[in-house]
Amino acid sequence: MRQIDCCDTADHLLTLAEAINAALPTIPTLTETDAVPLFEAYGRVLATDVVAGLDAPPGDNSAMDGFALHRADLSSTVPTRLPVTGQALAGHPYRGYVPRGGAVRITTGALIPEGPDAVIMQEQCRIDPDETWIDIEPHHAARLKPGENIRRRGEDVKAGTLLLPKGRRLRPQDVALAAGQGMATLAVIRRPRIAIASTGDELYEPGVALPSGAIYESNRYTLIGLLRRLGCAVTDLGILRDDREVILSALREAAATHDVLLTSGGVSVGTADWVKEVIAELGRIQFWRLAVKPGKPVTFGRIGDCLVLGLPGNPVSVMVAFLMFARPLLFKLMGMEPIMPVRWLVTADFTFRRKPGRREWLRAQLRLDPERGHRAHLYPTNSSGALSSLCWADGLVELPEDCAGVLPGDVVDYLPFSELGVD
Ligand code: AMP
Ligand code: MG
């Protein structure tokens, strides 16, 4: 059996930041790309910068339904009557020049005909029933500015400008921006291939009868959901028994065909905790155990080119360790722009005693107190086995390593689940 490289001394566990900084340089960024139709591009990561090929809008057009006219024809002392000499509809431009003294009926999005320098809203005109003329009152005329209600060519996007940077995880509005440029496909980074497995003799699949001492497996349901939301291609290796040979052959096989192997359970110090040993045997452990709570036994290593993340088994630990540790590493693999979740500063509505040393996350709900602002409330137990607490919570209070406890009224960092991609 090979040696575990480092970092497991009683007096020093890696902090989360140290662990991420140590892991990141060892993580490649995927380079293969897929060209995907726009409707399949949501949530994918752009492989190249997207540069505008066109001005948007492509021509000066009307922002209102109304009449295109020459401002200089309007009187600001008496009503002005103008003949309506034609119409410009969206998709059906008016051909020809509109001379001084004339007005053209225009709809939103229609090209501004040559000649007019403003559009007056139809609500500000008295329109003859046959639409052969319009009258404009002086107070409306006085307020009509040059270029009013005209959207200029290129005012949204100028050809040649960077629209979307490489590494952008595409949101609906990003895909729409590409569509607005006439792009039918986008080059995106291929999905990372991630294999996941849960380990434990006590674990059974939902849907079967439970023997005594057994529980239903739930961690894969958390992890697969989190990974799918990130756009990963997930292979489910199912539940692995606490058996060295079973775990060894499953990990060896999966490592050969996946970018990442994510396990839960079996990384602690129990007699049936084989995962660490098997990783060390097949590859290399870069570090084990972090100064975090929950999630301390996190293991990071590789088998061949496959990154291996051994997450703890407790249902809260697995989700927190994924969000805080695995997620930023996957971002790098996926070629994503670095994203720092935004922490909100909120007021604690609780007392929490602890020893400094580890970064800790507490399951919390924010409640808005009309007089005292957002207050964070804690779930009554802090057990890392209490899966229901994660369903109750809408985010996590984060206590830094040196925090010696929290009293009501203290300002604390709060991470809403939405900032962690869970909403
Ligand atoms: P372990 O890290 O394997 O020692 O597991 C720690 C605790 O988490 C034990 O109580 C396990 O029964 C529980 N556990 C481990 N894996 C899972 C899982 N996949 N689903 C639900 N509970 C689990
Ligand atoms: Mg176990």
Side-chain angles (χ1 to χ4, degrees):
M1 196 204 308
R2 298 218 201 128
Q3 280 274 285
I4 292 172
D5 284 353
C6 66
C7 316
D8 180 26
T9 56
D11 50 359
H12 183 71
L13 298 179
L14 288 185
T15 64
L16 178 70
E18 285 168 345
I20 289 176
N21 288 336
L24 278 177
T26 71
I27 294 181
T29 291
L30 300 174
T31 52
E32 297 123 89
T33 63
D34 298 326
V36 292
L38 295 193
F39 286 132
E40 286 164 35
Y42 305 111
R44 301 297 300 271
V45 179
L46 265 184
T48 55
D49 286 343
V50 171
V51 174
L54 307 172
D55 285 336
D60 295 354
N61 68 91
S62 182
M64 289 288 170
D65 293 325
F67 295 88
L69 47 72
H70 295 262
R71 278 177 65 252
D73 290 338
L74 303 180
S75 163
S76 50
T77 50
V78 293
T80 307
R81 174 162 297 187
L82 295 173
V84 178
T85 58
Q87 58 179 14
L89 307 180
H92 302 279
Y94 179 88
R95 314 250 171 234
Y97 184 80
V98 180
R100 286 286 305 269
V104 159
R105 169 56 116 170
I106 195 161
T107 61
T108 305
L111 279 184
I112 306 293
E114 268 184 78
D117 58 4
V119 169
I120 188 159
M121 292 164 66
Q122 66 185 40
E123 293 83 344
Q124 296 178 349
C125 303
R126 198 158 67 79
I127 307 169
D128 148 62
D130 300 333
E131 273 206 22
T132 50
W133 50 258
I134 53 174
D135 283 340
I136 298 158
E137 292 297 321
H139 68 280
H140 289 314
R143 283 208 297 262
L144 194 68
K145 293 194 267 316
E148 180 119 3
N149 297 322
I150 296 179
R151 300 190 288 216
R152 294 296 175 191
R153 174 181 178 154
E155 77 174 25
D156 182 16
V157 170
K158 293 233 177 337
T161 54
L162 175 67
L163 283 185
L164 300 166
K166 174 180 171 171
R168 164 66 53 87
R169 181 137 185 268
L170 292 163
R171 303 167 300 172
Q173 62 267 43
D174 301 322
V175 175
L177 194 62
Q181 287 285 311
M183 297 170 185
T185 61
L186 286 170
V188 297
I189 296 177
R190 79 155 162 84
R191 295 183 190 278
R193 290 187 280 268
I194 307 210
I196 75 157
S198 288
T199 65
D201 280 351
E202 75 282 31
L203 305 176
Y204 282 74
E205 292 283 9
V208 305
L210 273 190
S212 153
I215 56 168
Y216 288 117
E217 199 282 324
S218 59
N219 289 348
R220 277 153 57 241
Y221 295 86
T222 308
L223 290 175
I224 291 182
L226 291 166
L227 290 165
R228 285 203 184 145
R229 274 164 179 260
L230 274 184
C232 302
V234 183
T235 307
D236 180 13
L237 305 180
I239 298 168
L240 307 179
R241 296 289 149 219
D242 285 320
D243 177 300
R244 194 172 180 284
E245 294 315 308
V246 168
I247 294 174
L248 189 119
S249 71
L251 299 201
R252 180 167 44 209
E253 216 172 288
T257 48
H258 291 83
D259 303 301
V260 181
L261 191 49
L262 212 57
T263 62
S264 80
V267 286
S268 242
V269 289
T271 45
D273 289 339
W274 295 113
V275 173
K276 265 193 335 284
E277 191 179 313
V278 164
I279 301 169
E281 159 115 21
L282 294 173
R284 170 175 177 267
I285 289 181
Q286 194 177 333
F287 51 78
W288 171 56
R289 305 216 297 175
L290 307 181
V292 299
K293 192 173 176 201
K296 180 174 164 193
V298 159
T299 306
F300 178 73
R302 58 175 56 239
I303 300 173
D305 288 335
C306 181
L307 300 169
V308 187
L309 280 81
L311 304 180
N314 273 307
V316 177
S317 312
V318 84
M319 179 156 171
V320 171
F322 179 91
L323 294 175
M324 300 304 165
F325 178 66
R327 194 167 172 266
L329 305 186
L330 293 178
F331 284 177
K332 165 126 191 243
L333 180 74
M334 295 168 70
M336 274 172 63
E337 305 171 296
I339 297 176
M340 275 302 281
V342 175
R343 274 111 173 128
W344 300 0
L345 293 178
V346 303
T347 308
D349 213 312
F350 57 85
T351 301
F352 189 77
R353 294 177 219 290
R354 64 174 233 133
K355 275 205 318 265
R358 291 199 262 164
R359 182 161 290 249
E360 182 161 10
W361 296 277
L362 310 173
R363 284 135 276 167
Q365 260 186 14
L366 273 198
R367 297 191 199 137
L368 183 60
D369 177 319
E371 266 115 56
R372 301 181 301 168
H374 281 104
R375 320 268 302 176
H377 297 255
L378 290 194
Y379 193 71
T381 108
N382 196 32
S383 157
S384 55
L387 183 54
S388 60
S389 63
L390 286 173
C391 300
W392 173 89
D394 48 28
L396 302 168
V397 164
E398 184 176 52
L399 307 180
E401 287 80 1
D402 60 2
C403 171
V406 180
L407 293 172
D410 285 355
V411 172
V412 290
D413 281 340
Y414 172 77
L415 271 163
F417 281 143
S418 55
E419 277 296 311
L420 299 165
V422 187
D423 45 20

